[in-house]
Structures are given as C-alpha cells and as structure tokens.
C-alpha cells in the first residue's frame, strides 16, 4: 500500500509540473498573440503594401483613441468624411486581408480557416482592382504551399475582368484546370439558381460569355433576346459599315420584325416599335430568334464567326453529279 501511495504522489507531482509548464507556455503564446493583434503591425503592413503598389490616396495611422485606426490623406488631414465608396471598400478589404493572418482577440490565432471573398471589387477602379487581385492570388499561394492557417479559398464575383485577373495562372493549360482548383458558375433561370461545374476556366471575355448563353440549352427565355442584341452590338459595331435596314430586307413578316428588334441598338428610340413582339417569349419564339440571329451572320458573310463561337463546323455542300 505504501508503494502505491508513493507512486500516486510521484504521478501527482509530475502532473503538477506539466500543468505549470502548460501555464507557462500559454502565457508565452498569449504574449506572442498580443504582439500580433496589436494595431501597429497592421498599420505598418497596410501602409507598406499601399506604398509598394504606388497607392497614395490615403494611409492608416493610430488614432488617439486606442486601439482604433484613423485614415488620413497625404497632407495628414482626416479622410474619414471624404472617402469614396471604392476607397471604403478597399480599406475594408485590406483590414480583412490582414485579419486573415491573425485574430481580433488573443485566442483562435492558430485555428484553420476557410476564406470567402464575396465580390470584393465592387465600386473599385482598375488600379485598386489590380491590387486586390494580386493580394488574393497571394492567399492562393499560401494555401498551395501550406505555409499558413488558410486551408481553402472561395472567390465569388460578377466582374469578368476581376475574374480573369484573379484566376490567371501561367502554368494552367487552356483546356484544363489545375489539380487544386475548381470553377463554378451560378445562373438564375425562371427564378431558380443553378450551379454548374466546369473542368476548365469558363470565363474568357464578356463577349464570349454572351455566346455561352446562346449555346446553353438551358438558357433564360426572357434574357436571350437581349443577349443576342448585345452580341450584334459588340461584333458589328467593331466591324463597322453595317446597315441594319439592308440586312433586315432579307427577311419577311415576323422574321423581319425580329431582325429589327435585334438591331434596335442602332436607333435610340427603336424599342417602342416592337415591344409587343417580345413581351412574352416561349420556346418556339426563342427558336425563331435564334434562327434569325444565325441568318444575320450568314447574310452579312460572317457565318464562319458564328460557327466558331457556337462551336460548329461548316460541312461542305454536296456536289451533284450528272
């Protein structure tokens, strides 16, 4: 019994020593986290970041009411009341970006994280959009190398230019995706959102996106007419020297009205004449629009462009033999 008691006392002493060591380590961790959650390192990092990109619109400084920041212009004046919507979005993004590296409190700093960037470029000009894109790509690199606490990143956006910037990777082939990334698009059709997975990056240019809508068999009947109109506007405005009346003269009856409605971008007041034609568009009407849309390219001698964008090939015409 005496030996058992001695054994218990020895184990209790070891537990007490280990508990004391743990408390010491906890204090050291809190001390290190206290340094990380201080506002001064964040101020210095954000300002250094702004300077490295040549951004001089504003900078951060420590407020007299610690632990708060203040935003100031180059001349030292308070920028709080003069920030544009884009600048407000930018400074919010920068704070969130640096918060990813640590924590607002002295706990939870080392926890694994899943990060969601939800359309972070709203109201931003092109220069700031470039900065945001590069910072997010830096987060991608950390995830790929496993050098931080972030384990997965989601980027949601409506902005095609931002998507092209943030998704660019020199090692990605045009016909495939990298093994650690996925691409998804969300489309709303008939008041129902549908998510579609893509094996490659589905976003090329805004012009190509319009063609994707035309090719999509699950297209939105209410939006397809405007999609085709925008394609004609983009293509034929750039090409130039297109007379819509000459093109529409190749059509008769309802098809002629459809052709004119698709070219309604030419005249400012053209929408009023044919509004009743496309108030209610069913599947059969959509097929009529698609047929006229294709013939417009055919009649103007640009059917090859149509076939290329639709992923079609033009079969050779049969040769009659006598």
């Amino acid at each position: 019994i005496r030996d058992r008691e001695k054994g218990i006392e020895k184990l209790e002493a070891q537990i007490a020593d280990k508990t004391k060591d743990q408390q010491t380590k906890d204090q050291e961790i809190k001390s290190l986290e206290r340094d990380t959650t201080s506002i001064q390192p964040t101020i210095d990092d954000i300002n250094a970041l702004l300077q490295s990109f040549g951004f001089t619109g504003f900078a951060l400084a420590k407020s007299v009411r610690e632990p708060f920041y203040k935003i100031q212009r180059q001349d030292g004046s308070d920028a709080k009341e003069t920030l544009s919507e884009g600048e407000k979005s930018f400074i919010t993004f920068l704070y969130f970006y640096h918060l990813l590296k640590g924590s607002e409190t002295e706990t939870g700093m080392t926890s694994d994280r899943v990060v969601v960037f939800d359309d972070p470029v709203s109201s931003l000009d092109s220069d700031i959009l470039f900065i945001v894109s590069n910072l997010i790509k830096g987060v991608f690199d950390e995830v790929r190398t496993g050098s931080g606490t972030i384990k997965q990143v989601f980027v949601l956006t409506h902005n095609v230019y931002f998507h092209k910037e943030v998704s660019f990777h020199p090692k990605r082939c045009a016909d495939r995706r990298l093994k650690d990334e996925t691409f998804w698009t969300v489309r709303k059709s008939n008041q129902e959102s549908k998510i579609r997975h893509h094996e490659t990056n589905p976003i090329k240019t805004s012009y190509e996106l319009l063609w994707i809508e035309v090719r999509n068999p699950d297209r939105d009947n209410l939006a397809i007419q405007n999609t085709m109109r925008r394609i004609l506007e983009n293509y034929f405005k750039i090409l130039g020297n297109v007379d819509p009346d000459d093109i529409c003269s190749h059509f008769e009856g309802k098809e002629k009205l459809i052709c004119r409605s698709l070219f309604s971008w030419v005249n400012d007041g053209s929408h009023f004449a044919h509004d009743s034609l496309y108030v209610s568009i069913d599947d059969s009407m959509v097929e009529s629009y698609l047929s006229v849309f294709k013939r417009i390219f055919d009649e103007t001698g640009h059917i090859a462009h149509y076939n290329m964008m639709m992923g079609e090939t033009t079969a050779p015409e049969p040769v009659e033999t006598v």
Side-chain angles (χ1 to χ4, degrees), residues 156-188:
L156 313 176
T157 185
H158 296 90
N159 189 305
V160 174
Y161 179 75
F162 169 68
H163 176 91
K164 287 179 66 64
E165 284 288 334
V166 79
S167 63
F168 174 77
H169 196 288
K171 294 184 179 180
R172 185 192 303 113
C173 298
D175 60 345
R176 68 189 65 181
R177 58 180 175 82
L178 300 177
K179 63 180 182 180
D180 56 9
E181 66 182 6
T182 58
F183 293 99
W184 306 80
T185 53
V186 181
R187 287 185 171 87
K188 193 168 186 177

Side-chain angles (χ1 to χ4, degrees), residues 232 235-236 239 241-252 255-256 259 263 290-307:
L232 295 175
Y235 185 71
F236 287 105
L239 184 67
N241 298 320
V242 175
D243 188 338
D245 290 334
D246 288 343
I247 296 175
C248 292
S249 66
H250 293 278
F251 299 88
E252 297 294 337
E255 288 189 339
K256 190 167 188 174
C259 180
F263 274 105
L290 291 170
S291 175
V292 172
F293 178 72
K294 180 177 181 178
R295 284 184 59 193
I296 287 174
F297 283 90
D298 196 8
E299 297 293 344
T300 55
H302 297 282
I303 191 63
H305 178 75
Y306 174 91
N307 290 335

